Structure formats: C-alpha cells, structure tokens
Amino acid sequence: MKRVVLLFLLFCFPRGMQAQTPLSVDPYTFKGVLDTARVRVVYQLTYVIDIEKPQQKKTQELELLLGKRYELFRFDKERFDQGFSVPEGSELNVPGYGLAASVFLFDKHSGKRQTFIKGVSPSTLCYTTDNTSLQWELAPGTKKVLGYTCQKATVRYLGRNYIAWFAPALPISSGPWKLRGLPGLILEVSDERGEYQFDAVLIEEKPKNPALIPFVKDRYSMTTRQKVNETLKRIHKDVLQAIQTIYGRRPQVVGSDATIIPVPYNPIELE
C-alpha cells in the first residue's frame, strides 16, 4: 500500500515535495527593467528539509542583484545557463521549491520589500513588508571568506538565531534572503541549528554581462506574510489538501485509504 502511495506522489510531484512548497512550481516570468545591478553575488544555500533527518541536506544556488535603487534575490539563472548545478527554480522549466520558489524585491528608496511566492494558491501570491532594522550585535572574531576579512555578527530574526560574517571592505549593507543592515556585505550566514546556511561563492562587481533587475510579470494576489506562512504550514500537513488548494479537487490515492499525507516541512521563518 505504501508503495502505491509513493508512486502516486512521485508521479504527481517529481521534485517538488520538499521545503517551502510541496508542489512543483511553474517558472516565473518577468517584464520591464527596474534597475541594473552594479554588483552580483551568488550564494549557495544548504538547508535541512526534514528536522528528523538533519544529515540529509539540499543545496540551491541563488543570486543577489544589487542596483542603485533596487535589490533582487532569486534563483541563479546565469549560472544555470552556464551549466552549473541546476537551481531548484528558474525561468527554464526547472521545478521550483524552497527559497527558489520565491522572488524578493527590495526598494531602498521606500524601504519596502515585495515577496512573490508560488505553489501556495492557484495564483502567485505577493506581500509587501516595511524594512525591519535587524538588531545585529557585533561579536569578536574574524575569518576569511572569498579572500575578504570578515567580522562576526549575530541576530535573532523570524524565530532563528543567525551568525553572520560580513566584509567591511565591501561597504554594502545587504546580504542573502532578507538579511541585511550590517556595515558590509554578508558573505556567510547560518542559523545556530545548522539548518540553513548561505555561503557566497561568487562576487561580481560591475558584471561583464549586464545583470538587469526586472519586475515579476505573473499575475499575483496581494496577501500578508502571516497568511502565506499559515497556508504553507497547513498544506504541508496534508499534501492532498495542497492539491485541492491548487487544482480545486482532492484526489483519491489508488490502493490506499489514506485521507491525510503529510510532507516534511522546515521553513526558514519560524515566526
């Protein structure tokens, strides 16, 4: 019986039953140009999908595009084009999950961040938040990351305690995901549990290939961060409910009387 259920799930969701969203995500489309990146940073994210199996980890490659006004954090399309390890989420029909199923756009002028996320409802969802000043605490210690001498800092943010290493020689108050606000670019950061870690693997100042910061073209519905996280938690408790949410019908699992099928869920945001 379990084999039948497993085959059913693998057929429906070949790569999407992990991390932030349990469904395979259609690629994003973009339109227009908001800004041109002056600096491009590629991060490798290593994360734990199931807290019951902490040794089993996944990796994604994500990029931070830093323009004069806008910052964009998303899957790393360029390294995918160049044949690097496949990111989980792209414009090129690669199923997305985890943070690669989201796009984070930050407006430095207004201090507002727009987050777009797929796989939670029939349409792309979007929520806007004001820039929150993270209460970083500088700590003793230095280390070399990509040749830069980095200083240590710690912060508690959205339910996790983070340890970050930032480079004062790169006076950019930004970093991966939503982590920013230090007097230097964050090149390495991890939560104290070791469940989420970002490592900078490439820094391009004045990228040779113009890195444009576009706007998401997908039709999207406005919501709140809290509602998105509540929905994600609910549908991970029951993947059949997730199918019903997206496709409008709850499937019957052939060869099983299962009414609820949970999916491991270890979100980066715990609050």
Side-chain angles (χ1 to χ4, degrees):
M1 181 180 296
K2 291 183 179 180
R3 178 178 175 80
V4 174
V5 173
L6 177 61
L7 290 174
F8 168 80
L9 294 175
L10 290 176
F11 177 77
C12 292
F13 312 109
R15 302 180 64 181
M17 288 188 57
Q18 302 170 59
Q20 294 291 74
T21 172
L23 299 178
S24 188
V25 179
D26 293 331
Y28 279 93
T29 55
F30 298 91
K31 69 175 181 180
V33 177
L34 294 172
D35 206 342
T36 300
R38 298 180 174 185
V39 179
R40 175 174 173 267
V41 188
V42 177
Y43 292 92
Q44 179 174 282
L45 167 63
T46 304
Y47 62 105
V48 174
I49 296 171
D50 186 350
I51 58 175
E52 299 297 326
K53 302 175 181 178
Q55 301 306 315
Q56 296 183 10
K57 298 183 178 182
K58 286 284 186 178
T59 61
Q60 296 178 340
E61 286 184 348
L62 307 162
E63 68 177 357
L64 174 64
L65 302 179
L66 299 164
K68 182 177 181 180
R69 173 170 177 171
Y70 291 95
E71 299 178 1
L72 184 72
F73 189 68
R74 64 173 185 177
F75 57 85
D76 179 13
K77 178 180 180 298
E78 184 171 322
R79 284 169 72 86
F80 174 75
D81 291 344
Q82 295 174 352
F84 285 76
S85 59
V86 177
E88 304 300 345
S90 81
E91 292 173 293
L92 305 175
N93 296 316
V94 178
Y97 57 78
L99 291 187
S102 299
V103 172
F104 305 89
L105 179 68
F106 180 65
D107 184 341
K108 291 185 283 187
H109 286 193
S110 68
K112 293 186 180 298
R113 184 188 304 279
Q114 283 185 289
T115 299
F116 302 87
I117 182 169
K118 288 191 171 189
V120 182
S121 74
S123 64
T124 298
L125 295 182
C126 174
Y127 63 84
T128 301
T129 53
D130 293 324
N131 183 38
T132 302
S133 296
L134 277 64
Q135 302 302 307
W136 291 99
E137 293 185 8
L138 300 183
T142 62
K143 68 184 297 187
K144 287 280 188 178
V145 181
L146 292 181
Y148 293 93
T149 299
C150 293
Q151 296 181 7
K152 185 178 181 180
T154 62
V155 71
R156 181 169 179 81
Y157 183 55
L158 297 179
R160 292 184 184 271
N161 295 320
Y162 289 95
I163 301 170
W165 297 91
F166 67 96
L170 297 172
I172 302 170
S173 185
S174 191
W177 182 49
K178 301 178 181 180
L179 300 171
R180 64 189 324 278
L182 284 166
L185 182 64
I186 297 173
L187 298 186
E188 181 180 308
V189 59
S190 62
D191 75 306
E192 66 178 4
R193 300 180 185 180
E195 295 174 357
Y196 278 85
Q197 176 163 334
F198 297 90
D199 295 286
V201 295
L202 175 69
I203 302 174
E204 286 186 314
E205 297 186 68
K206 299 179 180 179
K208 296 179 181 179
N209 298 322
L212 304 179
I213 298 178
F215 192 73
V216 173
K217 182 180 179 181
D218 304 65
R219 292 183 178 181
Y220 54 87
S221 302
M222 295 300 299
T223 184
T224 66
R225 184 183 70 87
Q226 290 78 8
K227 288 183 178 180
V228 167
N229 288 343
E230 288 170 3
T231 302
L232 281 168
K233 184 177 180 179
R234 184 172 61 253
I235 63 180
H236 276 81
K237 288 183 177 179
D238 181 7
V239 71
L240 300 181
Q241 177 61 44
I243 299 171
Q244 182 174 334
T245 299
I246 302 300
Y247 299 107
R249 59 185 179 84
R250 191 179 185 89
Q252 296 293 321
V253 182
V254 178
S256 172
D257 57 0
T259 57
I260 295 177
I261 300 178
V263 177
Y265 185 45
N266 183 26
I268 192 169
E269 296 183 10
L270 298 179
E271 294 179 352

